[in-house]
């Protein structure tokens, strides 16, 4: 065929070409390689190692390892070697970096004091000082490299873990949770955690260990001065730090919620931009977004205020403490109770003692943000799917397609029933249409067949198997679903058709295209199956998107097909094409049709009338019209409306 999509088969990687016909046809920027650079690219690719496909197995049930509670400790201990090496480097940095003041004391007392002047001592001390600086510098470089690699590995694993968990969650979770909130978990929360693991946590450890090392050295230098430092200064610092911890925990939790709400509101506005424009809601949306952003700003202002108290407060305590110790230490030197070198070393260490406190303030902010992000991610990962695969679920073999509703009750909210005591048998290969008023429960019955939800009571069976007793993969690989609004993914038309079967060959895709009557559309697209689909398929008409969805279902070869109002949003011409495609698609398959248009329902073997969560009538179109019941009333109304529309068309 003229539109045949080369490269859509079982994969294979040809040479990278300079052109990008699909991109040019779709009005996209040039995405190929300029001809003058092609030789260089080929040279680089010649030395590129082979990267095999990752060996990844997905299971609907999370493993024991995946169910372990998310904590910072658990994240870090996934890579013990790197963790141990980074910890050793932290200890080395914390100790070696503190040799300077002690070496200064030695240089003053043994090389510069009257009666102890020695250039050799000063020279040796200078060399040792230089070596200590070099060791510290090399250790810091190695530590940054090790912690950076550790953070990169941990974040990679965490992103995959969160994404995998989202794939397992049931539809009710995504109905209740905002998309923007979920995006904030995958973006800002994980980025905060990465910053903590890459730098904040290790700096926190270095500064904390530095304080311990300095405290020990202070006591070794002079017990009296060290005791005054610990008794007078540390308790005040501890009290203000405890206040800061409680306040910052509340503040950063508000910040995390605030950014999640900002992203959620932004995502909703972008996805609904056409409706916003059509109804002149721009001003209202700006006001609402300003309020949402304002709440986020207030949360950040709160954290800034407590930081403004804590930072200068600790500085003031440090300055006052140093002033008191200078007076006491100077008096001790005058009375020959302390050497001048020891006093200088003590104050150098004292300055270093307060410096980590200031750095700890900054790192504690990072730590609190990271912990808040961990709490949000932990809450997400602790969410259990409402539709769980049983531990002893069995593989469902090739089915014939017999569907049974056995005394089924269901409610999205258990307190508000949607279906009550539903009993229905659908024979293999039979097409059954569900009709009834909006909210009657038609789509809900279809969702139970696909096990998007489980009944509150009763059973849904296929070929006699309770759906709760079979694996989800073996069930859904034999089901096909065509929604009212087909969703097209970023990629080409061919990618979207082969979505359920990525390994399908070009010939199989072309067979599906011909079967559903999509040939004319593909030829008109210019680049055929390689035509790039814009976001959500907005560059295609509703009918074209629906035909692609039907081709996707045909290629999957399902035994049971569920069509949720597949023609309700189409014009008459598109509906005719879709119904012709349905004739091919429904052949030899069990089908459940959710129909608003009775023209679609009339094609079914049987029609099930649903009202207020109950089945009120079952039969063929002719039987139900003859019965004169609820369906007959619906059909009479539909005929009058059709006649009225036909009359209007003639008078025009």
């Amino acid at each position: 065929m003229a539109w045949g999509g080369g490269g859509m088969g079982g994969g294979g990687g040809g040479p990278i070409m300079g052109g990008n016909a699909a991109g040019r046809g779709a009005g996209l920027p040039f995405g190929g390689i300029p001809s003058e650079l092609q030789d260089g690219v080929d040279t680089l690719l010649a030395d590129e190692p082979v990267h095999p496909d990752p060996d990844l197995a997905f299971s609907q049930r999370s493993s024991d390892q995946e169910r372990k509670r998310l904590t910072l400790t658990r994240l870090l201990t996934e890579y013990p070697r790197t963790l141990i090496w980074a910890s050793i480097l932290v200890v080395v940095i914390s100790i070696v970096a503190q040799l300077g003041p002690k070496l200064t004391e030695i240089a003053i007392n043994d090389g510069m004091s009257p009666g102890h002047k020695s250039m050799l001592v000063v020279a040796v001390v200078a060399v040792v000082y230089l070596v200590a600086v070099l060791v510290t510098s090399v250790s810091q470089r190695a530590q940054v490299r090790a912690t950076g690699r550790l953070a990169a590995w941990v974040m990679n694993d965490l992103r995959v873990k969160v994404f995998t968990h989202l794939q397992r969650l049931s539809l009710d979770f995504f109905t209740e949770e905002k998309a923007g909130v979920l995006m904030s978990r995958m973006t800002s929360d994980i980025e905060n955690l990465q910053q903590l693991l890459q730098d904040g946590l290790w700096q926190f450890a270095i500064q904390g260990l530095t304080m311990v090392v300095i405290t020990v050295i202070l006591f070794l230098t002079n017990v009296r001065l060290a005791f005054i430092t610990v008794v007078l200064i540390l308790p005040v610092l501890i009290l203000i730090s405890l206040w800061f911890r409680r306040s910052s925990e509340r503040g950063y939790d508000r910040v995390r919620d605030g950014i999640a709400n900002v992203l959620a509101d932004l995502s909703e506005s972008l996805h609904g931009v056409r409706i916003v424009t059509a109804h002149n809601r721009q001003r209202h949306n700006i006001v609402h977004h300003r309020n949402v952003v304002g709440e986020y700003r207030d949360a950040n202002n709160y954290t800034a205020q407590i930081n403004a108290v804590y930072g200068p407060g600790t500085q003031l305590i440090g300055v006052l403490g140093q002033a008191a110790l200078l007076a006491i230490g100077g008096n001790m030197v005058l009375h020959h109770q302390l050497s001048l070198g020891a006093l200088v070393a003590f104050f150098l260490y004292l300055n270093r003692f307060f410096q980590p406190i200031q750095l700890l303030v900054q790192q504690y902010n990072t730590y609190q943000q990271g912990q808040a992000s961990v709490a949000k991610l932990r809450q997400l990962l602790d969410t259990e799917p409402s539709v769980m695969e049983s531990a002893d679920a069995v593989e469902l073999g090739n089915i014939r397609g017999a569907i049974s509703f056995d005394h089924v009750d269901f409610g999205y909210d258990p307190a508000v029933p949607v279906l009550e005591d539903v009993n229905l048998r659908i024979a293999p290969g039979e097409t059954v249409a569900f009709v009834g008023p909006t909210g009657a429960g038609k789509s809900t019955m279809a969702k139970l067949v696909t096990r998007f939800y489980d009944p509150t009571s009763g059973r849904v069976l296929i070929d006699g198997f309770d759906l709760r007793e079979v694996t989800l993969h073996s069930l859904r690989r034999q089901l096909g679903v065509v929604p009212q609004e087909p969703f097209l993914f970023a990629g080409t038309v061919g990618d979207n058709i082969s979505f359920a079967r990525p390994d399908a060959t070009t010939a199989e895709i072309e067979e599906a295209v011909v079967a559903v009557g999509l040939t004319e559309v593909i030829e008109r697209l210019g680049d055929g199956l390689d035509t790039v689909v814009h976001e959500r398929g907005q560059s295609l008409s509703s009918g074209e998107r629906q035909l692609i969805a039907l081709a996707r279902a045909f290629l999957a070869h399902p035994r049971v097909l569920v069509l949720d109002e597949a023609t309700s949003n189409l014009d008459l011409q598109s509906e005719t094409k879709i119904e012709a495609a349905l004739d091919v698609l429904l052949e030899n398959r069990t089908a459940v049709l959710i129909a608003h248009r009775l023209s679609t329902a009339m094609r079914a073997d049987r029609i099930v009338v649903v009202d207020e969560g109950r089945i009120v009538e079952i039969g063929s179109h002719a039987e139900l019209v003859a019965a004169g019941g609820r369906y007959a009333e619906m059909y009479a109304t539909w005929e009058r409306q059709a006649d009225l529309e036909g009359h209007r068309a003639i008078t025009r």
Side-chain angles (χ1 to χ4, degrees), residues 225-355:
L225 291 178
F227 184 78
I228 293 173
T229 301
V230 171
V231 171
L232 294 182
I233 301 175
L234 275 186
V236 181
L237 289 176
I238 291 173
L239 287 175
I240 193 173
S241 297
L242 290 174
W243 165 81
F244 176 74
R245 177 185 177 183
R246 289 193 298 269
S247 300
S248 61
E249 282 178 350
R250 292 193 299 268
Y252 285 115
D253 194 54
R254 286 178 56 192
V255 169
R256 301 308 327 134
D257 288 338
I259 187 61
N261 290 334
V262 169
L263 291 175
D265 188 63
L266 175 62
S267 174
E268 185 176 59
S269 294
L270 292 178
H271 287 151
V273 65
R274 291 170 179 80
I275 304 301
V276 171
T277 304
H279 293 278
N280 291 321
R281 286 271 298 188
Q282 293 93 333
R283 182 180 180 278
H284 180 277
N285 281 17
I286 292 171
V287 172
H288 181 266
H289 193 71
R290 184 175 63 183
N291 293 334
V292 173
V293 173
E295 293 176 0
Y296 179 51
R297 176 205 60 207
D298 293 342
N300 280 301
N301 284 342
Y302 173 77
T303 59
Q305 288 171 3
I306 60 177
N307 285 324
V309 172
Y310 184 59
T314 54
Q315 286 183 337
L316 177 61
I317 294 170
V319 170
L320 293 177
Q322 288 182 65
L325 289 170
L326 178 61
I328 297 172
N331 184 64
M332 292 175 67
V333 171
L334 292 176
H335 290 80
H336 305 289
Q337 296 173 340
L338 185 68
S339 68
L340 179 60
L343 179 62
V344 171
F346 191 92
F347 263 83
L348 289 174
Y349 278 120
L350 196 61
N351 282 326
R352 294 190 176 200
F353 180 80
F354 291 116
Q355 184 180 7

Side-chain angles (χ1 to χ4, degrees), residues 343-542:
L343 179 62
V344 171
F346 191 92
F347 263 83
L348 289 174
Y349 278 120
L350 196 61
N351 282 326
R352 294 190 176 200
F353 180 80
F354 291 116
Q355 184 180 7
I357 294 177
Q358 304 305 318
L359 293 174
L360 281 173
V361 173
Q362 302 173 13
Q363 300 307 327
Y364 195 75
N365 291 341
T366 304
Y367 176 77
Q368 285 296 87
Q369 292 183 58
Q371 282 287 45
S373 295
V374 168
K376 297 296 183 183
L377 290 168
R378 183 190 301 132
Q379 182 181 6
L380 173 61
L381 292 172
D382 287 345
T383 303
E384 292 288 345
S386 58
V387 176
M388 290 284 289
E389 185 173 273
S390 173
D392 55 354
V394 298
E395 287 288 322
L396 184 63
N398 292 333
I399 61 174
R400 296 181 301 116
I403 303 173
S404 299
F405 288 80
D406 183 14
H407 298 285
V408 169
D409 292 342
F410 176 77
Y412 297 100
D413 178 353
V416 183
V418 176
L419 299 177
E420 297 183 74
D421 196 30
V422 172
N423 290 278
L424 178 65
R425 302 290 182 270
I426 301 176
E430 183 181 18
T431 298
V432 174
F434 294 163
V435 301
T438 300
K442 308 183 298 296
S443 295
T444 300
M445 293 181 68
K447 292 172 184 176
L448 294 178
V449 171
T450 55
R451 210 193 165 198
F452 289 161
Y453 296 88
D454 282 333
T456 308
S457 64
R459 300 182 302 166
V460 179
L461 305 98
I462 288 186
D463 287 2
F465 289 92
D466 189 329
L467 298 189
R468 288 171 292 199
E469 298 175 356
V470 301
T471 62
L472 290 170
H473 178 266
S474 65
L475 168 67
R476 289 176 182 159
R477 69 179 173 81
Q478 302 187 72
L479 302 180
V481 179
V482 180
Q484 179 179 356
E485 285 291 337
F487 190 97
L488 300 187
F489 294 86
T492 66
V493 172
D495 294 334
N496 277 278
I497 294 175
S498 63
F499 186 78
R501 286 185 57 203
D503 58 343
T505 65
T506 303
E508 290 175 318
I509 297 174
E510 292 175 354
E511 179 188 3
V513 168
V514 173
V516 302
L518 191 57
T519 306
E520 181 183 344
V521 174
I522 296 297
E523 290 175 344
R524 191 171 64 250
L525 291 178
D527 289 319
L529 295 175
D530 291 330
T531 301
V532 174
V533 175
H534 291 192
E535 184 180 9
R536 297 175 182 265
Q538 295 301 321
S539 57
L540 303 174
S541 69
S542 297

